[in-house]
């Protein structure tokens, strides 16, 4: 795709969303370990937020290379089966592979997209400028009122959202506490034109996984698990989709049946989203979620400093402080 066609792509993309991550340190590549802090995103200051995501892939080198070159993530750690990518010293995305990995069908439960939250609109524009100069193919772009979002896919079809929130004080809430969101055309040319004319050196400090959007088999069942069991608030509905959050964010998790109505639990060796982490800023909120899990006798185990369990579709999640 040439740059002209790229910048002409400004469609009302699929309705989406979910939340953040804390302020981080970014090393100065020219001056050793000097670092600077950035303001913590609103999404990450809530009682709970999305911390990390784990994808299973078939071609580790290809997929990792894409996230490094096109999204600007850095390899933080290498393991026997994969790599951990992130910004500065903050891990965001784990990629692993295995000989018995099987490609998940498009209608399987799992990932709709991983949403990377930029610290501000300028960083979103800077990424768009980088993408345009490297002929990155987009799937769509939308103005959701609470945020501006750009959509694409990695080489194995895992959905990606790159977005920036509008200031929280500009969001509109209904009397029932739900937030007003929409899917409007995003003017990519105007966003591109606002970017500083300077070298792009990867994701900026403060970049995080703002939210995860999941493919599930049934919306009422998703509401029961994410709202009634985990204690997230239902922030918005859309035909075939629910959006959940903690502490008044527009959403930290989304769940839809657009491709996956009636999907059953994932098998252990499927490609795509294996598991993710929800981190809690508030211990009381975590304790309440754990208490509900125990009361409902939902199977869980202590793992990686937190409590690991699976949702009704076999997607793993770890709850931790």
């Amino acid at each position: 795709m040439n740059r002209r066609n790229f910048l002409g792509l400004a469609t009302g993309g699929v309705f989406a969303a979910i939340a953040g991550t804390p302020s981080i340190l970014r090393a100065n590549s020219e001056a050793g370990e000097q670092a600077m802090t950035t303001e913590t995103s609103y999404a990450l200051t809530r009682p709970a937020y999305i911390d990390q995501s784990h994808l299973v892939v078939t071609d580790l080198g290809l997929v990792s290379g894409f996230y490094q070159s096109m999204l600007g993530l850095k390899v933080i750690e290498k393991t026997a089966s994969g790599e951990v990518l992130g910004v500065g010293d903050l891990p965001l995305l784990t990629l692993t592979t295995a000989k018995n990995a099987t490609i998940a069908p498009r209608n399987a439960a799992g990932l709709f997209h991983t949403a990377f939250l930029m610290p501000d609109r300028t960083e979103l524009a800077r990424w768009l400028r980088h993408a345009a100069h490297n002929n990155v193919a987009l799937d769509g772009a939308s103005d959701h009122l609470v945020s501006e979002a750009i959509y694409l896919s990695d080489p194995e079809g895992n959905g990606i959202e790159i977005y920036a929130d509008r200031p929280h004080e500009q969001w509109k809430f209904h009397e029932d506490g739900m937030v007003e969101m929409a899917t409007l055309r995003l003017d990519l040319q105007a966003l591109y034109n606002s970017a500083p004319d300077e070298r792009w050196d990867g994701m900026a400090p403060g970049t995080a996984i703002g939210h995860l959007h999941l493919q599930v088999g049934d919306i009422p069942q998703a509401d029961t698990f994410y709202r009634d069991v985990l204690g997230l608030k239902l922030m918005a509905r859309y035909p075939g989709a629910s959006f959940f959050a903690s502490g008044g964010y527009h959403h930290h998790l989304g769940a839809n049946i657009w491709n996956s109505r009636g999907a059953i639990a994932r098998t252990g060796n499927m490609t795509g989203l294996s598991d993710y982490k929800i981190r809690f800023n508030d211990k009381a909120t975590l304790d309440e979620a754990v208490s509900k899990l125990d009361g409902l006798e939902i199977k869980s185990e202590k793992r990686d400093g937190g409590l690991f369990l699976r949702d009704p579709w076999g997607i793993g999640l770890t709850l931790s402080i």
Side-chain angles (χ1 to χ4, degrees):
M1 176 182 292
N2 62 38
R3 191 180 309 169
R4 180 176 180 180
N5 289 338
F6 178 97
L7 294 174
L9 178 60
T11 61
V14 180
F15 189 90
I18 334 188
T21 165
S23 61
I24 62 173
L25 298 177
R26 184 186 185 187
N28 185 319
S29 59
E30 301 295 328
E33 293 301 318
Q34 285 185 329
M36 59 183 180
T37 60
T38 64
E39 183 179 354
T40 302
S41 163
Y42 178 81
L44 306 182
T45 64
R46 306 300 83 206
Y49 61 92
I50 304 300
D51 187 32
Q52 297 179 40
S53 177
H54 172 201
L55 302 180
V56 175
V57 300
T58 59
D59 190 329
L60 179 63
L62 177 66
V63 178
S64 177
F66 178 86
Y67 283 98
Q68 292 177 61
S69 63
M70 297 308 172
L71 267 70
L73 300 182
K74 309 294 184 184
V75 176
I76 295 176
E77 179 184 352
K78 294 197 175 192
T79 68
S81 60
E83 297 177 348
V84 178
L85 307 177
V87 177
D89 294 328
L90 181 69
L92 297 179
L93 180 66
T94 297
L95 301 174
T96 60
T97 189
K99 292 181 179 179
N100 66 342
T102 60
I103 297 175
R106 185 170 179 269
N107 62 350
L111 183 70
F112 190 69
H113 62 238
T114 303
F116 293 90
L117 175 61
M118 301 289 102
D120 52 45
R121 191 175 192 267
T122 297
E123 289 303 325
L124 181 65
R126 292 181 73 243
W127 178 83
L128 177 62
R129 186 174 184 272
H130 162 75
H133 285 253
N134 286 275
N135 293 320
V136 177
L138 300 185
D139 296 333
S142 295
D143 182 339
H144 293 307
L145 302 181
V146 295
S147 64
E148 294 173 289
I150 302 169
Y151 300 95
L152 63 156
S153 300
D154 74 18
E156 295 196 358
N158 295 297
I160 298 168
E161 176 182 338
I162 310 291
Y163 78 111
D165 281 333
R166 286 197 169 92
H168 177 253
E169 55 270 21
Q170 295 180 13
W171 303 356
K172 295 181 180 180
F173 291 86
H174 301 291
E175 291 185 1
D176 59 3
M178 290 195 180
V179 66
E180 184 175 339
M181 294 195 288
T183 302
L184 308 176
R185 179 182 180 273
L186 178 62
D187 188 341
L188 282 179
Q189 185 68 63
L191 182 62
Y192 174 90
N193 290 344
S194 72
D197 185 10
E198 59 189 23
R199 177 184 172 185
W200 186 78
D201 192 32
M203 290 294 193
T207 300
I209 294 182
H211 66 264
L212 284 177
H213 196 155
L214 310 176
Q215 294 193 163
V216 300
D218 181 74
I219 293 302
Q221 193 174 9
D223 291 349
T224 297
F225 183 80
Y226 287 104
R227 178 190 61 195
D228 302 337
V229 176
L230 292 190
L232 299 177
K233 179 176 172 54
L234 181 64
M235 296 301 297
R237 285 196 184 278
Y238 198 75
S242 289
F243 300 87
F244 311 94
S246 171
Y249 190 57
H250 54 75
H251 65 290
H252 289 105
L253 282 171
N256 76 62
I257 56 169
W258 298 329
N259 300 320
S260 55
R261 183 188 298 271
I264 60 175
R266 293 170 56 84
T267 60
N269 59 345
M270 271 187 177
T271 57
L273 182 64
S274 170
D275 58 90
Y276 61 97
K277 295 182 179 181
I278 299 178
R279 192 171 294 276
F280 289 76
N281 289 317
D282 177 52
K283 186 176 184 299
T285 304
L286 173 58
D287 290 343
E288 183 177 352
V290 172
S291 178
K292 286 185 179 180
L293 293 172
D294 291 341
L296 294 169
E297 298 183 346
I298 295 176
K299 183 179 179 181
S300 62
E301 62 182 85
K302 292 184 179 180
R303 184 190 297 185
D304 298 332
L307 192 69
F308 177 85
L309 64 149
R310 295 189 183 276
D311 74 7
W313 298 278
I315 302 169
L317 58 149
T318 300
L319 313 178
S320 67
I321 291 292

